[in-house]
Amino acid sequence: MSPDSGIVTLTKPLDRELKASYNLTVLAIDQGTPQMSSVATLIVNVQDMNDNPPEFASKYYFAVVPEIDAINTDVIRVLATSKDTRVNADIYYSIVGGNEHNKFKIDNRTGVISIAEMLDYERAKDYFLTIQVTDGGSPPLSNRANVNITVTDSNDNAPVFMQVSYSARIPEDADVGDKIIQASANDLDSGDNGRVTYFIENGNRQTHFVIDPDNGYISVADQLNRESISSYVLEILAKDNGLPVLSRSVLVNIEISDTNDNPPLFSQSNYSTIVQEDKPLGYPILKFTVTDADASPNEAPYTFDFHSGNDGGIFPLAAASASSAYVSDGRWHEVHLERDKHSARLTVDNIHVAHGSALGISDILNLQNDNMFFGAEVHQHPSILGFEDIQRGFSGCMDDVRVSRVSVPLHMSGDSSIAVLMRVANVEFSCDVTSVLVPPGPCGSQPCMNGGTCLETSGGYECQCHARFKGLLCEQDTDPCQSQPCLFGGKCSTTD
C-alpha cells in the first residue's frame, strides 16, 4: 500500500485455488500533534480464472463385462474434478478414441460408461477407450484418461457340425472297436462353453455303435449282421458344457455292406418227382428254388451241379430266370418306375420287370404331387369339413425309410438332400413290438377298397365310400372311365 495515496497494489501473483479472499486492516495516521488515527477493514475477494484443467481421479481404469450383458448396462464410471469454480468447474465427458464400432457410450455429465450395442467375445475380447473431460471455461481446458474394458465369454454359440449330414459304409464283418467316421462339430465359444461332448441320441438299434464323447468318432460296439439290419440312421447330438447348455444334431447314415457269410438254401430239403419214360430229351422234370440271404454279388446267379446219383449224366441241369417276382423279404431293393402317359414299366433290382397300364390322376401311381406318405395316407375327409381321412394305416415299428438310397429324416426336420420331414402325427420315438402289435379289430385288415373309410360297428364294420364308389366294400366303380384306363389314345365308354 502506498503510504501517501493509500493505493493498494499486488506484490505477488494471486492464486484463488490457494486463497480465495484476504481480510486487510488499514490504519490511517495524520501528522498533527498529537497524532490522530483511524482504522478501516479491507476485504479482497479473488475472482476465479479458468487456469486449471480438470483432473481425473485415475489415469487408468479397468473393467470386465460379460458379452451377454444387455444394452444400456453400466460398465464403469470415470470421475474428474476441477479446482476452478462456477462455469469453469463444469465437467463434460466424451469418448474420443477406441470406440470405432460404437459398442460403448458415456454419460457426458456423470461419466458412466455403458453398453451401446451387443458385444461379441468371438469378435473382440478387449476395448481400449480414450476418455476426454472438458470444463466449461473460456477457453475450455481438457484432460484425458484410458479405460481398458475386457469382454468375457458367455455361452451364446451352439456347436456347429462340419457337414450337413454324414454317410459311411462298413462291412458286416468289421471288428468291434473299428472306427467308422468322425462327426465333428466346432463351437466358437471358449473354455467349457466351447468344449463339445457327443452322444448318440436316436437310431442306434441293438446298440451296435458307440461314439467317443470327446472327439465324435463313431465305432463298432457289437458284431454286425447285414441280413438282420442293413443300414442305420444315427442322430448324433453335440452338446457344449456351458450354462445354459447349447446343442445341435446331425444325421449319420451307415450302410452295412455284405460279406458272403450265408450259403444258398433250397426251398425244400428233399424233392420228389415222377417222369414217364417216353418223355423227350430236354423235358423239364423239376425246378429248384434257391434263396440266399446275402446281397449281390454274393447271391444269384447260382451254379448247380449234381453231388451224387446222376450216374451216366442222364439228367442235365439248366439255369432258369424269372420274369417277375413278389418281393417281401425285409431287405433293400432297387426299384425303378418309368411312366409314359398311360403305361408304366417297373423294374426291381435290374432283374425283374413288369409292364402295365398307369392309372390316371386319382390313383396310386400318380406322381404329380411332391408329398409322400409313410405309414398312412392323410387327406381331407370327403364329407366332414376339417376332419382328416387316414387311409392305409400302419401300426408297427419303422426305423429307416429311404428314397433314392438316401435316408428320410424320421427324428428331426431337414438335414437330408432328398426330402424334408413336413409332418409327424401319432408317432412315438420308441418302439416296443409287444405293445404296438395289438389285436387290430374288425378294421385292422383294411377291408374297404378304393380309399373307403372303415368304421367299426357293434356288428362288425361298415365302409364309408367316396362319391365315385359304392358297395359293401366300396368295390363298385360307378365311373370307371375317370381313371383313363384306355391306352394309345383309346376312348373309354362305360358298359352295363
Side-chain angles (χ1 to χ4, degrees):
M1 173 180 286
S2 172
D4 298 329
S5 62
I7 297 175
V8 179
T9 58
L10 292 174
T11 59
K12 295 180 179 179
L14 300 176
D15 189 342
R16 190 205 63 81
E17 286 71 37
L18 295 178
K19 192 168 185 177
S21 65
Y22 295 85
N23 192 348
L24 305 178
T25 301
V26 180
L27 176 64
I29 302 175
D30 61 20
Q31 299 299 317
T33 301
Q35 287 184 325
M36 304 294 291
S37 66
S38 180
V39 176
T41 300
L42 174 63
I43 298 176
V44 179
N45 292 317
V46 182
Q47 291 185 338
D48 185 41
M49 297 289 293
N50 194 27
D51 58 344
N52 291 280
E55 294 288 341
F56 280 100
S58 174
K59 280 292 184 180
Y60 300 96
Y61 293 83
F62 301 91
V64 177
V65 57
E67 63 173 329
I68 60 171
D69 276 5
I71 293 175
N72 295 323
T73 300
D74 293 345
V75 178
I76 193 174
R77 181 187 180 190
V78 296
L79 179 64
T81 57
S82 176
K83 295 179 180 179
D84 294 323
T85 60
R86 298 181 182 179
V87 68
N88 297 329
D90 289 343
I91 299 295
Y92 302 94
Y93 300 93
S94 61
I95 302 175
V96 296
N99 196 31
E100 288 77 11
H101 296 97
N102 299 314
K103 294 292 185 179
F104 301 94
K105 59 185 178 180
I106 190 170
D107 188 302
N108 68 336
R109 297 308 303 254
T110 65
V112 173
I113 300 173
S114 58
I115 299 173
E117 290 186 8
M118 288 302 298
L119 305 174
D120 190 348
Y121 171 85
E122 288 70 37
R123 291 182 176 272
K125 300 177 178 59
D126 290 282
Y127 292 87
F128 300 92
L129 306 181
T130 301
I131 308 300
Q132 180 172 282
V133 60
T134 305
D135 63 23
S138 181
L141 301 178
S142 63
N143 214 331
R144 292 185 176 185
N146 296 314
V147 178
N148 181 7
I149 300 176
T150 299
V151 181
T152 59
D153 186 35
S154 300
N155 197 26
D156 59 341
N157 292 281
V160 177
F161 282 96
M162 305 296 290
Q163 298 177 207
V164 174
S165 62
Y166 295 83
S167 297
R169 189 177 183 90
I170 185 172
E172 62 178 323
D173 60 353
D175 294 329
V176 173
D178 282 357
K179 291 183 178 180
I180 303 171
I181 192 173
Q182 183 183 24
S184 179
N186 289 330
D187 194 314
L188 295 177
D189 295 320
S190 63
D192 285 343
N193 297 330
R195 183 165 56 87
V196 179
T197 306
Y198 301 89
F199 306 88
I200 300 179
E201 191 74 3
N202 285 300
N204 193 16
R205 291 175 284 173
Q206 300 180 15
T207 320
H208 277 154
F209 302 99
V210 66
I211 190 168
D212 190 305
D214 297 324
N215 56 38
Y217 267 111
I218 300 173
S219 306
V220 178
D222 199 357
Q223 188 62 49
L224 303 172
N225 186 354
R226 190 203 65 85
E227 287 71 40
S228 297
I229 305 177
S230 61
S231 63
Y232 300 80
V233 181
L234 305 182
E235 183 183 353
I236 305 302
L237 183 68
K239 292 183 178 181
D240 61 27
N241 289 266
L243 288 175
V245 175
L246 300 179
S247 64
R248 190 158 293 173
S249 297
V250 72
L251 293 180
V252 178
N253 301 286
I254 300 178
E255 189 84 26
I256 309 301
S257 60
D258 186 46
T259 57
N260 196 22
D261 56 347
N262 292 279
L265 297 176
F266 287 94
S267 60
Q268 301 174 217
S269 58
N270 293 288
Y271 292 82
S272 297
T273 187
I274 298 174
V275 59
Q276 289 79 16
E277 62 178 341
D278 60 347
K279 296 301 180 183
L281 293 177
Y283 178 80
I285 299 174
L286 183 66
K287 179 181 177 181
F288 296 104
T289 302
V290 179
T291 59
D292 192 320
D294 292 321
S296 179
N298 299 321
E299 52 169 0
Y302 307 105
T303 58
F304 297 85
D305 195 9
F306 286 107
H307 188 265
S308 64
N310 189 25
D311 297 334
I314 298 176
F315 301 102
L317 286 170
S321 60
S323 59
S324 62
Y326 174 75
V327 179
S328 180
D329 57 5
R331 294 161 53 193
W332 285 110
H333 297 275
E334 185 173 343
V335 179
H336 290 279
L337 174 64
E338 299 173 273
R339 181 172 181 170
D340 183 12
K341 295 182 180 178
H342 300 301
S343 63
R345 173 188 175 95
L346 187 69
T347 305
V348 180
D349 295 333
N350 292 319
I351 299 175
H352 311 295
V353 181
H355 299 271
S357 61
L359 301 180
I361 61 173
S362 61
D363 217 346
I364 206 167
L365 287 181
N366 174 28
L367 300 180
Q368 298 177 15
N369 196 309
D370 289 337
N371 292 329
M372 302 182 68
F373 299 95
F374 299 100
E377 188 171 343
V378 183
H379 298 286
Q380 293 299 317
H381 197 277
S383 58
I384 304 177
L385 185 64
F387 186 77
E388 292 182 326
D389 184 20
I390 301 178
Q391 299 296 325
R392 302 178 180 89
F394 171 83
S395 178
C397 300
M398 182 170 13
D399 288 322
D400 189 15
V401 177
R402 297 190 175 197
V403 178
S404 296
R405 296 182 179 272
V406 178
S407 294
V408 176
L410 298 179
H411 304 297
M412 55 190 294
S413 178
D415 289 344
S416 173
S417 61
I418 196 71
V420 175
L421 181 63
M422 299 295 294
R423 178 183 175 189
V424 174
N426 299 328
V427 173
E428 295 183 4
F429 291 99
S430 62
C431 193
D432 182 2
V433 178
T434 59
S435 63
V436 170
L437 299 181
V438 296
C443 290
S445 60
Q446 299 287 330
C448 301
M449 303 170 62
N450 297 308
T453 301
C454 181
L455 301 175
E456 294 189 14
T457 63
S458 57
Y461 68 88
E462 64 178 23
C463 292
Q464 186 179 41
C465 306
H466 290 280
R468 176 179 154 188
F469 303 94
K470 65 180 183 178
L472 293 177
L473 301 178
C474 305
E475 74 278 8
Q476 299 178 24
D477 191 347
T478 61
D479 188 7
C481 287
Q482 183 176 338
S483 61
Q484 303 178 17
C486 301
L487 303 178
F488 306 109
K491 182 179 181 180
C492 177
S493 59
T494 59
T495 60
D496 295 332

